[in-house]
Amino acid sequence: MAYATQKLAEEKVFKDPVHRYIHVQDQVIWDLIATKEFQRLRRIRQLGTTYLVFHGAEHSRFSHSLGVYEIVRRMVDDVFANRPEWNKRERLVALCAGLLHDLGHGPFSHAFEHVFDLDHEYFTRAIILGNTEVNEVLRRVSKDFPKKVSEVIEKTYHNKQVVSLISSQIDADRMDYLQRDAYFTGVSYGHFDMERILRVMRPQPDQIVIKSTGMHAIEDYIMSRYQMYWQVYFHPVSRSAEVILRKTLERAKELYHAGYTFKHDIAHFHSFFENDVQLDAYIAMDESIILAYFQFWMSEEDAILSDLSQRFLNRKLFKFVEVDPSKDWEKLIRLEKLFDQAGIDPNYYLVMDSSSDLPYDFYRPGEEGERLPIYLQMPNKELSELSRSSDIVDAISGKRRTDHKLYYPKDLLHEEHPLHEQIIEIMHA
Amino acid sequence: MAYATQKLAEEKVFKDPVHRYIHVQDQVIWDLIATKEFQRLRRIRQLGTTYLVFHGAEHSRFSHSLGVYEIVRRMVDDVFANRPEWNKRERLVALCAGLLHDLGHGPFSHAFEHVFDLDHEYFTRAIILGNTEVNEVLRRVSKDFPKKVSEVIEKTYHNKQVVSLISSQIDADRMDYLQRDAYFTGVSYGHFDMERILRVMRPQPDQIVIKSTGMHAIEDYIMSRYQMYWQVYFHPVSRSAEVILRKTLERAKELYHAGYTFKHDIAHFHSFFENDVQLDAYIAMDESIILAYFQFWMSEEDAILSDLSQRFLNRKLFKFVEVDPSKDWEKLIRLEKLFDQAGIDPNYYLVMDSSSDLPYDFYRPGEEGERLPIYLQMPNKELSELSRSSDIVDAISGKRRTDHKLYYPKDLLHEEHPLHEQIIEIMHA
Amino acid sequence: MAYATQKLAEEKVFKDPVHRYIHVQDQVIWDLIATKEFQRLRRIRQLGTTYLVFHGAEHSRFSHSLGVYEIVRRMVDDVFANRPEWNKRERLVALCAGLLHDLGHGPFSHAFEHVFDLDHEYFTRAIILGNTEVNEVLRRVSKDFPKKVSEVIEKTYHNKQVVSLISSQIDADRMDYLQRDAYFTGVSYGHFDMERILRVMRPQPDQIVIKSTGMHAIEDYIMSRYQMYWQVYFHPVSRSAEVILRKTLERAKELYHAGYTFKHDIAHFHSFFENDVQLDAYIAMDESIILAYFQFWMSEEDAILSDLSQRFLNRKLFKFVEVDPSKDWEKLIRLEKLFDQAGIDPNYYLVMDSSSDLPYDFYRPGEEGERLPIYLQMPNKELSELSRSSDIVDAISGKRRTDHKLYYPKDLLHEEHPLHEQIIEIMHA
Amino acid sequence: MAYATQKLAEEKVFKDPVHRYIHVQDQVIWDLIATKEFQRLRRIRQLGTTYLVFHGAEHSRFSHSLGVYEIVRRMVDDVFANRPEWNKRERLVALCAGLLHDLGHGPFSHAFEHVFDLDHEYFTRAIILGNTEVNEVLRRVSKDFPKKVSEVIEKTYHNKQVVSLISSQIDADRMDYLQRDAYFTGVSYGHFDMERILRVMRPQPDQIVIKSTGMHAIEDYIMSRYQMYWQVYFHPVSRSAEVILRKTLERAKELYHAGYTFKHDIAHFHSFFENDVQLDAYIAMDESIILAYFQFWMSEEDAILSDLSQRFLNRKLFKFVEVDPSKDWEKLIRLEKLFDQAGIDPNYYLVMDSSSDLPYDFYRPGEEGERLPIYLQMPNKELSELSRSSDIVDAISGKRRTDHKLYYPKDLLHEEHPLHEQIIEIMHA
C-alpha cells in the first residue's frame, strides 16, 4: 500500500487533557511524532516565561502541536469529509502542516529570536526540507511532499483553504492554544464552543467561512482571545522575566565579542554569538540548554551576567512603572544618568518594553503577522466580514492599545542607597 | 509585629488550575516561596518520566508544593480553626511543612536517587537546616522553627496531628497529587470530593480521623489512588524511560571511574560520581542540567553512553515483555548470553524492572514508606479502621501485586540480525 | 439565644451542581427553606418554556433561590465580614432577601402574569407580609423583620448596599442564574470567574463597587450575560411555546367570560379569570396545575382551546417569520384577512411577539426594570462607570436591538390548503 | 428513498449538558422525538422523588432517553461501523430501541407501579405496538418494525448483540443515567471514561465484550454505579418521600373503594382504582397530574388523605430508624399498638421500607431484573467474566446488603404527646 494512505493496524490515541484524546490512524503521522525533531518540542514551553506568573503554564509546544493536528483532523475527517468544496486529496498535507507548524521554534522563542536575529519560520522550513528525520518521513510520501507541507505553513500553498485551516483568524492553531493555555494556566477565559464552531465551518474556494448562525460562538471565541491576550499573554510580570532573559543573552553575547573568557565552555552558543547558525546547532538548542547555561553563568566572574542569570533562575524579577515615551523622554534620560551614577548599568537594568507594536488585530507575543479575516456566510450565501455583523468584534478589533513599561531592579535600589529617593521620585513622577 | 504572625498588606493569590486559587496571607509563606531553593522546584517535574507517555504531565513539584500548602491552609483555617482539639499555635508549622515537604527532591527523583544512593528526605532536611535562603526565612520566625518544620516532614514531631496533615493515608500531599496528576495527564481517574473529605476530617489527639458519614467519599478517594497507581504511576512505558535514564547515569558513572575522558566537562556530576554530594551541588542539580548533559553525552565517543542519551532525549524507548523471575531465571540467563553474543551489552540493554517491592498499601514510585492508617469515627465516637467498614478498601488494600518486566531495545534486534529469531523466540516463550 | 443569631447544632449542606455545596448555619434560613411557600418554588421552572428547546433546562426556582442565598452568604461571610464599610448587622436580612427574592413567581411567569395582569413582585411582598409560614418564621426574628426583608427585595430598603447585593447590574441573583442556566442548558456561555469577582467587590456607602483590577472578570461576566440573552433567554422557539401558552390561557379566560361550560371544573382558575386573586389561590397555582389543566382542556369541546392545549403539551409549536412592524403593517392586515378566510382565527393563530421593548441594558424576559450601574474603583479611589473603561461593555450596552417575529401554525397551512400558496407567499415577501 | 434510510437535509443537534450534543441524522428518529408519547416523558422525572433530597435532580426521562439514543448512535456509527461482527442492518432498530426503552414509565414509577400493580415494560410494549403516534412512525419503516423494536427492549430479540447495547451490565442505558444523574445531582461520583469504554467494546456473536486492556475503565464505571447506588438512588430521605407518595395513593384508592365522595372529580384515577387501565388513561397520567391531584386532595375532608398529600407537596417527610425485622418484630407490634392508641393509623404512618430485596448485582430502585454479565476479551481472545479479573468488582458484586428502615411522622409525636416518651423509647431501643 502507498505510504501516504497506510493506516496503523489499530488506531492509536494519546490522552490529552484538552481534547480528551488525540487520534492517530495514519502511519505518516505516527512516524512524524516519533522523529527527534518533533520530540524536541517537548523541551520548549508553549508560553515561554509565562510559567513564572501562572505556575500551571509549564506545557510544551509538543502538546500544542498534537492538539493542532487533532483539530485539523476533526475538520477534515468529521466536518469537511463529504463536502464537495473540499478536496479530499489535501487531507494528508493538512494534517502534516498542522502537526509540524511550530517545528522551528527556539527556546523562549520571542526573546531568543530577538537577541540572535533569528526567525522560527525559517527554521521550520529548514527542518522540513533539510537533512532530518522529519524530512525523511515526508519524502517517503512523495518527493515534493516536504515542499508542499512547508508551503502550507508558509501560507504560499496554492490551495488557500488548506492554508486557512492553520493560518487564519480562526484556525486550528489558535483554537488549540486558546483552550490549552487556558487549561494549563487555570484561567476561566479561553473557553468557547469549538464543537459548534467546527460544525459551522464551510469550505469555500480559497478559504473557510462561517455559517452566520454560528456568529455568537465566534464572538465568544474572539472574546476568549481578547481576554487571554490581556490577562495572560501580555502579563507584565512574564514580560519582566523576558526582559531579563533577553538581557542575559545579550550580555553573554557582548562578553563573547569582547573576548571574555568563560569559565564554562559556551559550545552551544558559539554559532549563535557568531551569527552563523546551522540547522544542527539550532535543533540542539532548547530550554534545558538555556537553563543549564544560566546555571553555569551564575558562577561567572562577570557581575552582570552572573546577576542576571540568577535573577532568571531564582525569579528575582524586575519591577516596573508605566511610562509614556512620547512625554517621558526627559525622565528616561535622567534615570539613565542616575543609574550610571549609582553604578547600575542602565543598558541591562533600565529597560523599556513596549507592546505598542501590535498589529490591528491582537496577537500573542511572537506570533506572526496579518491573518485572513473571518467571513460569515449569510443565509443568502453572500459573505460578510465578521466585524460588520458583530458589535463586540467591531468594538475590540479596530483599536490599537499601546503599553509601555519601564523595568528595573527595585531590590538594588534599597532604601539606604544614596540615590534611592531621587530615583524613586523620578520613576513615579 | 512578630514575623510569625505578620500578614501581607493584601492577600495574594496564585491562579491554580486544580484549586482555582492558592491564597497567601502570611509574610513567612510569601518569603519562602520567593527563595531560590523553592523556585528550584520549577525545574523538577512532578511525575518524572511520565510526560513521555502522558504528554500533559509536564507540571513541576513547584505547583504541587503550592497545592499541598493550600490544602493544609484550608484544613487549619477553614475546617479546624474553631475545634478545641486543634491547637492553633501549630498553624504556621503545618503550613510551612506542607509547602516545603518536597524541597529535597532531585531530578527524576526515583531513578536518580537510586543510581547515586541518595535520599531526598535527607536533602529536604539539609535545605531546611542548612545555610540556605529557606533556613534564613524560617529562622526569622524563631531559632528552633527550622527544626520543627523539619520534624513535621520527617514525622518525628511531637504533635502527630500536624504530622498526619501531610503524612498519612489521606493527607494534603496525596489529595493534591492525585487531583493534580489527574488534571495534567487528563485521565478521568483521580477525581474525588475533596471538599466533602475536608468537612468530615476531625482532629483527635495524635491524629486526624474521618466522621463515618464520609466513608463513601473516602472510598472514592482510595479508588482514585488505586486507579492512578495502575494507570499512570506504574505505566510500563514511563518505566522504560526510567530504565534508560538510570542506565545512562550508571554508564556515565562507570566511565568516570574507568578514567574515561569526557569531551564535555562533567563538573555538575563530579561529586555525584564521587559519592560525596554537598548541599550546593545537590541544589544545583535539576532536570535542565540532566537534559543538557544528555545532549552533551549524545556526542561522546562511548557508544553506549551516546546511544542511551539519545534514546532518552529522542524517546527511542525500550520495549518489554512480562517475566516471572521465580520461573524465568534460565531464560534470563540464556538471553544475557545471546545479547553478549550479539554484541549488545546486557548490563545496559537487558533490564528487569519490578514493582513487586510495593508495600502493603499502594504508593507511587519513589514515595516513602508506611503511613498511618485511616480511622473512621463512628456515631458512638469509637474509631474503626477503614478497611473494616469498607468492602472495597478491604478488597484492594491487602493485596500485593507483583509486576516484573524485562526491558530491551527491540529496534536493535531488527529482523536481519542473525540472532533475531532466537532472541525473540526465547523472549516470548 | 435570640432566634436571629441561633446556629444549627451542625452546619447543613445541600449538594448543588453549580456551587458544589449550599451551606446553612442559621436556624432562620433552615426554617425558611422548610416552609411550604418556599417548597412551592420546586414546582416552578426557572426558565419557563425554555426546556422545550434546551431539554436540560428543567431546573426550578427552588434551586436558583438556594444559589442566590449561597452567593450572598459568601459575600457577607467570606468577603465583607471584616471590612469596616460593611455593617455586620445587615447579614441576616441580606441572606433572607437573597433566599426569598423570587418567592412570588407564578407558573411560566412572564406569560402567565401578562394574561392575568399580575405582578410577581406584589406577591413576593404578599407572601412575606401575609399569613404564611414564611411570615411566621420571619416574625420570630423581630416584628419588623418581614418588612425589612420585603423592602430589600423591593429596593426601598434604606441601606442600598444590601439592596445592591441582590439587585444591581452585578448581583447574586444574576451571578447565580447565569451560571445555573448555563449549567442546566449545557451551553458553553454563562461561565465567568465568580470567585475573582467576589474578591474584588468592595462595600461602599450605598453601593458595592468593583476594584478596577477586576475589570476583565467583569467584562467576561457581561459577555456571558450578553450571550445567554441572545442564545438562551430570547430563543425564538421557546418564545413560540410562550405564545401558545399565553393564547391557551387567553382562550380559556374568554370562554369563561362567554359563559362556556367547561367539562372539567376550573376551580383553580376561577379567581384568575375573575381578576380577583387572593393569596391562597395564587400560592396554589403552580406549573403542575397548569399542565394538568392543559390535559383537561385537551378534551374540551372548544376546538381552539383543545388544539392550543395539546400543542403546548405535545410540543407542536408555531413556526415564525421575521417582520418589521414599521413596514409590514399592510402585510399583517392581509394575512389576518386570509387567516379569517381560511377559518383559522388570527387572534389565536397569528401572533406577533416582540422583544423590542428591552431596556437600555439587556435583561431576561420577565426580569424587572432598571438596575444600578457598575462602578469601578480606580487605584486613586475614584469611581468610574464600567462602560467608560471597557470598550466591550460600551459596545454592547448602549444598543437597543429590536426583534419582531410573527408566529403561526405552519402545519395547518398544509400544501393542499386552498390558501396555502397565497399565505406563504405573503408571509415570506 | 425508503423511509428507513431517509436522512434529514441537515443534521440536527440538541444541546445536551452530558454529551454536549445529541446528533440526529435520521428522519425516523426525528419523527419519533416529535410524537406526543415521547414528549410525554418530559413530564416524568428521571429520578422520581430524589429531587426532594438532591435539588438538582429535576431532569426528566426525556433527556435520559435522548442520551441513551446518542450513546447507541456512537456505538453503532463510530465504534462498530466497520467491524465484520456487527451487522449494519441492525442500526435503526438499535437506535429506536435506545430512544424508546423508557417510553412506558409512569409517574414516580416504582411507587406508582407498586400501588396499582402495573408494569412499565408492559406499557412500553403497548405504546410501541398500539394505536399511537410512535407506532405510526415505526410502521412506516416496515410492518414488523414496531415488533422488532419492542423485542429488543423486552430482550427477546434474536440478535443478542443488539439487546445487550441497551440491556446488559454495561449498556447505553446505564452509561447515560450514571453520568446524567451525577451531573444533575452534582455529586462527584458517576464519572467514568465513557469514551475509552466505547473504544474497547467489541461486538461478538450474541453479545458485546470488553477488550481486557479496558478493565480499569470498567472498574471505574462499576465503582460509579456502586457509589451512585448508595449515595443517591437509595438515599433514605427520598425513600421517605416515596413512602408518603405510596401511602397517599393507597389511601385515595381505599377511600374510593369505600365509597368516599371526593370533592374533586378523580377522573384520571378512575381506571387505576378499578384496576382496569387502558392505554389512553395510562398515557394521560404523568407527574403534573399526580401533583395537581395531591393539591386537590389537600383540601379533602379525609384527614389522612389531606395530611399525606400536603406532606408530599410541602416536603414534611417522615423520619426513620433502622430496624432488623428478624429481631424487631415484637417491637414493631408494640409500636403498632401504641400508634393505634395514639390515634395515628399505623397503616399509613408506620411504614417499613426495605431495600433488602435487591438482586445479586446492584440496581436502582425500579430497575428491572438480571442483566448479562460483563466479559473481558483477553489477549488470547478467550473471554473471562469481569469479577474474576478484578478484585474490586469481586469485592462489591457478590454481597447482598440488607437495609430496613421504619418510617414515621416524628412531628406528630411532639413532646407533649402522652405516648411520646414511650414510643420514642421503643423506637430507639
Side-chain angles (χ1 to χ4, degrees), chain A residues 135-382:
Chain A
N135 178 266
E136 199 190 312
V137 173
L138 295 175
R139 253 183 307 133
R140 289 174 60 197
V141 174
S142 75
K143 219 180 124 189
D144 64 344
F145 193 65
K147 193 154 165 291
K148 280 175 155 184
V149 172
S150 173
E151 283 173 358
V152 173
I153 296 172
E154 293 177 73
K155 311 188 222 26
T156 58
Y157 192 61
H158 66 91
N159 184 340
K160 298 306 176 206
Q161 265 184 355
V162 181
V163 170
S164 71
L165 293 185
I166 56 164
S167 304
S168 65
Q169 294 278 348
I170 184 154
D171 55 24
D173 182 17
R174 289 181 165 188
M175 286 203 277
D176 185 77
Y177 75 60
L178 288 175
Q179 292 180 88
R180 189 167 301 275
D181 298 345
Y183 187 89
F184 284 94
T185 56
V187 300
S188 59
Y189 325 109
H191 302 290
F192 52 90
D193 190 349
M194 185 175 80
E195 206 168 324
R196 174 133 183 86
I197 291 178
L198 293 181
R199 280 175 47 85
V200 293
M201 285 185 139
R202 294 286 175 274
Q204 287 277 309
D206 278 342
Q207 65 177 329
I208 309 294
V209 300
I210 304 291
K211 251 185 82 178
S212 62
T213 54
M215 188 186 82
H216 286 290
I218 302 290
E219 283 185 337
D220 212 34
Y221 154 84
I222 297 277
M223 274 302 296
S224 292
R225 263 168 65 191
Y226 174 84
Q227 293 282 25
M228 288 299 287
Y229 172 82
W230 286 107
Q231 301 304 300
V232 177
Y233 301 141
F234 275 83
H235 196 287
V237 176
S238 70
R239 280 159 65 193
S240 173
E242 215 171 276
V243 159
I244 291 172
L245 177 74
R246 208 166 70 216
K247 289 295 164 183
T248 314
L249 295 171
E250 283 178 10
R251 182 64 178 179
K253 188 177 170 188
E254 185 178 282
L255 292 173
Y256 172 83
H257 286 293
Y260 175 86
T261 313
F262 287 86
K263 274 191 197 172
H264 195 284
D265 184 15
I266 49 87
H268 284 79
F269 278 99
H270 194 269
S271 68
F272 290 88
F273 291 160
E274 289 288 355
N275 233 339
D276 178 29
V277 184
Q278 300 304 313
L279 190 53
D280 280 359
Y282 190 83
I283 289 174
M285 182 56 77
D286 59 34
E287 293 182 9
S288 63
I289 296 291
I290 297 273
L291 292 176
Y293 270 83
F294 275 44
Q295 284 234 33
F296 304 159
W297 293 346
M298 270 169 64
S299 50
E300 284 291 342
E301 295 291 320
D302 182 67
I304 291 177
L305 182 62
S306 162
D307 177 65
L308 291 173
S309 310
Q310 74 78 22
R311 280 182 182 276
F312 189 81
L313 285 179
N314 301 333
R315 201 190 175 281
K316 316 283 189 197
L317 303 181
F318 290 175
K319 300 293 181 192
F320 63 90
V321 289
E322 305 276 342
V323 284
D324 178 345
S326 64
K327 295 194 220 148
D328 298 341
W329 278 116
E330 242 176 281
K331 175 169 154 179
L332 290 170
I333 290 166
R334 286 180 61 197
L335 283 171
E336 290 209 348
K337 277 190 194 149
L338 282 167
F339 269 61
D340 258 335
Q341 245 178 289
I344 303 171
D345 188 338
N347 291 318
Y348 293 102
Y349 289 100
L350 187 67
V351 187
M352 193 158 83
D353 188 71
S354 300
S355 49
S356 71
D357 54 346
L358 298 173
Y360 130 92
D361 208 346
F362 37 87
Y363 295 101
R364 292 195 306 163
E367 197 172 270
E368 59 272 35
E370 207 77 10
R371 294 188 174 198
L372 298 168
I374 298 172
Y375 286 100
L376 299 179
Q377 185 183 49
M378 309 311 283
N380 63 7
K381 301 294 169 194
E382 278 177 23

Side-chain angles (χ1 to χ4, degrees), chain C residues 180-249:
Chain C
R180 190 166 301 275
D181 299 345
Y183 187 90
F184 283 94
T185 55
V187 299
S188 59
Y189 324 110
H191 301 291
F192 52 91
D193 189 349
M194 185 176 79
E195 204 168 325
R196 175 136 181 83
I197 290 178
L198 292 181
R199 279 174 49 84
V200 294
M201 285 186 139
R202 292 285 175 276
Q204 286 276 309
D206 279 343
Q207 63 178 333
I208 309 295
V209 300
I210 305 289
K211 250 184 85 178
S212 63
T213 53
M215 188 186 83
H216 287 290
I218 302 291
E219 284 185 338
D220 211 35
Y221 155 85
I222 296 275
M223 275 302 297
S224 292
R225 265 168 64 190
Y226 174 85
Q227 293 283 23
M228 287 300 287
Y229 171 83
W230 286 108
Q231 302 305 300
V232 176
Y233 301 141
F234 275 82
H235 196 287
V237 176
S238 70
R239 280 160 64 192
S240 173
E242 215 171 273
V243 159
I244 291 172
L245 177 75
R246 208 167 68 216
K247 289 294 164 187
T248 313
L249 295 171

Side-chain angles (χ1 to χ4, degrees), chain D residues 224-236:
Chain D
S224 292
R225 264 170 64 190
Y226 174 84
Q227 293 283 23
M228 287 299 287
Y229 171 82
W230 285 108
Q231 301 305 300
V232 176
Y233 302 141
F234 275 82
H235 196 286

Side-chain angles (χ1 to χ4, degrees), chain A residues 10-13 15 20-21 23 74 83 193 195-196 199 202 211, chain D residues 10-13 15 20-21 23 74 83 193 195-196 199 202 211:
Chain A
E10 187 143 82
E11 186 189 68
K12 305 262 190 183
V13 292
K15 194 80 196 79
R20 298 211 275 190
Y21 290 98
H23 302 80
R74 293 181 58 185
R83 299 209 165 256
D193 190 349
E195 206 168 324
R196 174 133 183 86
R199 280 175 47 85
R202 294 286 175 274
K211 251 185 82 178
Chain D
E10 187 143 80
E11 186 188 69
K12 304 263 190 183
V13 293
K15 193 80 197 77
R20 297 213 274 189
Y21 290 98
H23 302 80
R74 292 181 59 184
R83 298 208 166 258
D193 190 350
E195 204 168 327
R196 175 135 182 85
R199 279 174 49 85
R202 292 286 175 274
K211 251 185 82 178

Side-chain angles (χ1 to χ4, degrees), chain D residues 96-354:
Chain D
C96 292
L99 187 72
L100 303 178
H101 77 289
D102 265 358
L103 205 55
H105 269 283
F108 302 106
S109 51
H110 194 53
F112 188 81
E113 291 186 13
H114 187 265
V115 174
F116 300 115
D117 197 19
L118 300 167
D119 172 16
H120 70 264
E121 295 193 307
Y122 169 84
F123 285 103
T124 298
R125 183 172 56 246
I127 294 172
I128 289 172
L129 301 180
N131 180 18
T132 60
E133 291 184 16
V134 162
N135 178 266
E136 199 189 313
V137 173
L138 296 174
R139 253 184 305 133
R140 289 174 61 196
V141 173
S142 76
K143 220 180 122 187
D144 65 343
F145 194 65
K147 190 152 165 295
K148 281 175 153 184
V149 172
S150 172
E151 283 173 359
V152 174
I153 296 172
E154 293 177 74
K155 312 187 218 35
T156 58
Y157 191 62
H158 65 93
N159 183 339
K160 298 305 176 207
Q161 265 184 358
V162 181
V163 171
S164 72
L165 293 185
I166 57 164
S167 304
S168 65
Q169 294 278 347
I170 184 153
D171 57 23
D173 183 17
R174 290 181 165 188
M175 286 204 276
D176 185 78
Y177 75 61
L178 287 175
Q179 292 179 88
R180 189 167 302 275
D181 298 345
Y183 187 90
F184 284 95
T185 56
V187 301
S188 58
Y189 325 110
H191 302 290
F192 52 90
D193 190 350
M194 186 175 80
E195 204 168 327
R196 175 135 182 85
I197 291 177
L198 294 180
R199 279 174 49 85
V200 293
M201 286 186 137
R202 292 286 175 274
Q204 286 276 308
D206 278 342
Q207 64 177 333
I208 308 294
V209 302
I210 304 290
K211 251 185 82 178
S212 62
T213 53
M215 188 186 82
H216 287 290
I218 302 291
E219 283 185 339
D220 211 34
Y221 155 84
I222 296 277
M223 275 300 299
S224 292
R225 264 170 64 190
Y226 174 84
Q227 293 283 23
M228 287 299 287
Y229 171 82
W230 285 108
Q231 301 305 300
V232 176
Y233 302 141
F234 275 82
H235 196 286
V237 176
S238 72
R239 280 159 64 192
S240 174
E242 214 171 276
V243 159
I244 292 172
L245 177 74
R246 208 166 68 216
K247 289 295 164 186
T248 313
L249 295 171
E250 284 179 10
R251 181 63 177 180
K253 189 177 170 187
E254 185 178 282
L255 291 174
Y256 171 84
H257 287 293
Y260 175 84
T261 313
F262 287 86
K263 274 191 198 171
H264 193 284
D265 185 15
I266 50 88
H268 283 77
F269 277 99
H270 195 269
S271 68
F272 290 89
F273 292 160
E274 288 289 356
N275 231 342
D276 179 28
V277 183
Q278 300 306 311
L279 190 53
D280 281 358
Y282 191 82
I283 290 173
M285 183 57 78
D286 60 34
E287 293 182 9
S288 63
I289 295 291
I290 298 274
L291 292 176
Y293 271 84
F294 274 44
Q295 284 235 34
F296 305 158
W297 293 346
M298 271 169 63
S299 52
E300 283 291 344
E301 294 291 320
D302 181 67
I304 291 176
L305 183 60
S306 161
D307 176 65
L308 291 173
S309 309
Q310 73 79 22
R311 280 183 183 276
F312 189 81
L313 286 178
N314 301 333
R315 201 189 175 282
K316 316 283 189 196
L317 303 181
F318 289 176
K319 300 292 180 193
F320 63 90
V321 290
E322 305 277 342
V323 286
D324 178 345
S326 65
K327 297 192 217 149
D328 298 340
W329 276 116
E330 243 176 277
K331 175 168 153 181
L332 289 169
I333 290 165
R334 286 181 61 199
L335 282 170
E336 287 208 350
K337 277 190 194 150
L338 281 167
F339 268 61
D340 258 336
Q341 247 179 285
I344 303 173
D345 188 338
N347 291 319
Y348 293 103
Y349 290 99
L350 189 67
V351 188
M352 194 159 82
D353 188 71
S354 301

